[in-house]
Amino acid sequence: MAALKSEIAAWSAELGFQQAGVSDVDLTRAEQRLVKWLDAKFHGTMAYMHRHGVKRSRPQYLVPGTVRVLSFRMDYLPEPQESAARLIDDKARAYVSRYALGRDYHKVLRNRLRKLAKRIEEKIGPFGFRVFVDSAPVLEKPIAEKAGLGWIGKHTNLINQNAGSWFFLGEIYTNLPLPVTETDNHNHCGTCAACIDICPTRAIVAPYQVDARRCISYLTIELHGSIPIEVRKDMGNRIYGCDDCQLCCPWNRFSQPTREKDF
């Protein structure tokens, strides 16, 4: 299993992923945070956040037999951050979140992960697995954190110490008892509050707590009704998503534009 884990990491790199890790299925702490977030009604109209019960926080309930989750990240920043920052200040143009400028990432990552699963199957024979890319009740950020891909920052995005936060996540739920990735899960945000201070609509109501009802990404993508009048002016020229909390993050000085042509 240890050798296979190393091979999986190498194969994933060949398929365009920048990092791979393995976590167990114990998401107790994340489940507790999720319950509190839902109780506070921070999910707004996103009823799907509680529709599946504990399947979101208990992988073995969503896919019976799951004992490990393989977590992967792929960089997507299409251009240097400075270009995005200048666009936000341009009142004659509209801003679209950087993640949405390329090909549908769900399709890109899902196809790569399926190729990876096929590679594993060719190596060891049939095994239990299911691929996810933001497509089912999966707590992808807590899983990635447990798999050693980074830590969840005060803006609730995953941050990697060497690569910032401009990346997509994908998972493979599996019954293979692979060794879990050892990580200290150390949070490196420290006293920094840049993301909280810069949020145009003050959606980060406390460190590690986002009220989606005020978040521009939610308001321009998830919300099907009219955008509340009180937040419209603060949205500026952002018409699809918002990247402010990433643009101001000191750790993104280590980010690099993606090498993936699809993005």
Side-chain angles (χ1 to χ4, degrees):
M1 287 292 108
L4 178 60
K5 177 185 175 182
S6 297
E7 288 183 299
I8 290 172
W11 295 335
S12 70
E14 293 174 8
L15 288 167
F17 292 95
Q18 278 67 56
Q19 192 177 3
V22 181
S23 76
D24 58 31
V25 295
D26 181 8
L27 298 172
T28 304
R29 291 182 60 192
E31 181 178 287
Q32 293 170 347
R33 291 195 297 268
L34 174 62
V35 170
K36 290 181 179 179
W37 186 75
L38 291 170
D39 287 344
K41 308 298 183 184
F42 287 162
H43 60 296
T45 61
M46 296 184 290
Y48 61 81
M49 288 302 301
H50 59 71
R51 184 178 300 140
H52 301 283
V54 296
K55 285 184 177 180
R56 185 176 296 276
S57 53
R58 302 183 189 183
Q60 67 275 29
Y61 283 31
L62 181 62
V63 182
T66 298
V67 296
R68 295 288 185 270
V69 181
L70 309 180
S71 184
F72 306 87
R73 68 174 183 85
M74 183 182 289
D75 296 342
Y76 70 78
L77 185 64
E79 59 190 1
Q81 292 189 125
E82 292 74 20
S83 299
R86 286 196 296 270
L87 179 55
I88 290 176
D89 293 330
D90 187 345
K91 295 181 179 180
R93 302 176 68 193
Y95 185 86
V96 173
S97 184
R98 304 295 88 178
Y99 86 86
L101 295 181
R103 185 164 177 254
D104 186 345
Y105 74 93
H106 302 88
K107 296 179 180 179
V108 175
L109 269 70
R110 190 182 299 118
N111 289 337
R112 305 288 175 85
L113 291 177
R114 285 173 176 165
K115 289 180 180 179
L116 177 58
K118 184 176 180 180
R119 189 92 177 257
I120 298 171
E121 200 166 50
E122 291 172 350
K123 176 75 174 183
I124 67 171
F127 71 103
F129 74 91
R130 187 172 170 186
V131 169
F132 296 104
V133 181
D134 192 27
S135 56
V138 173
L139 287 179
E140 60 178 10
K141 288 181 284 188
I143 287 172
E145 185 176 50
K146 290 203 72 176
L149 271 58
W151 73 93
I152 296 175
K154 293 178 181 178
H155 47 22
T156 73
N157 291 314
L158 195 77
I159 304 173
N160 181 279
Q161 194 169 5
N162 300 311
S165 62
W166 301 99
F167 51 78
F168 295 125
L169 296 172
E171 300 79 36
I172 297 179
Y173 280 31
T174 182
N175 61 356
L176 296 175
L178 295 160
V180 298
T181 301
E182 294 186 8
T183 173
D184 59 8
N185 284 331
H186 188 63
N187 186 304
H188 297 279
C189 285
T191 59
C192 179
C195 59
I196 298 174
D197 295 337
I198 204 170
C199 181
T201 54
R202 297 165 296 283
I204 308 175
V205 295
Y208 316 105
Q209 291 186 51
V210 172
D211 184 346
R213 297 169 298 182
R214 299 193 64 85
C215 178
I216 294 174
S217 289
Y218 166 82
L219 295 170
T220 57
I221 301 172
E222 296 286 351
L223 181 64
H224 296 297
S226 297
I227 294 174
I229 293 176
E230 62 268 21
V231 297
R232 293 181 188 179
K233 182 179 179 180
D234 294 331
M235 289 171 59
N237 66 344
R238 303 165 187 82
I239 64 167
Y240 192 90
C242 177
D243 293 325
D244 288 48
C245 60
Q246 295 195 86
L247 289 169
C248 73
C249 179
W251 289 103
N252 271 326
R253 68 183 182 275
F254 298 116
S255 65
Q256 296 293 326
T258 181
R259 298 189 297 272
E260 180 54 57
K261 292 181 180 179
D262 280 331
F263 301 147

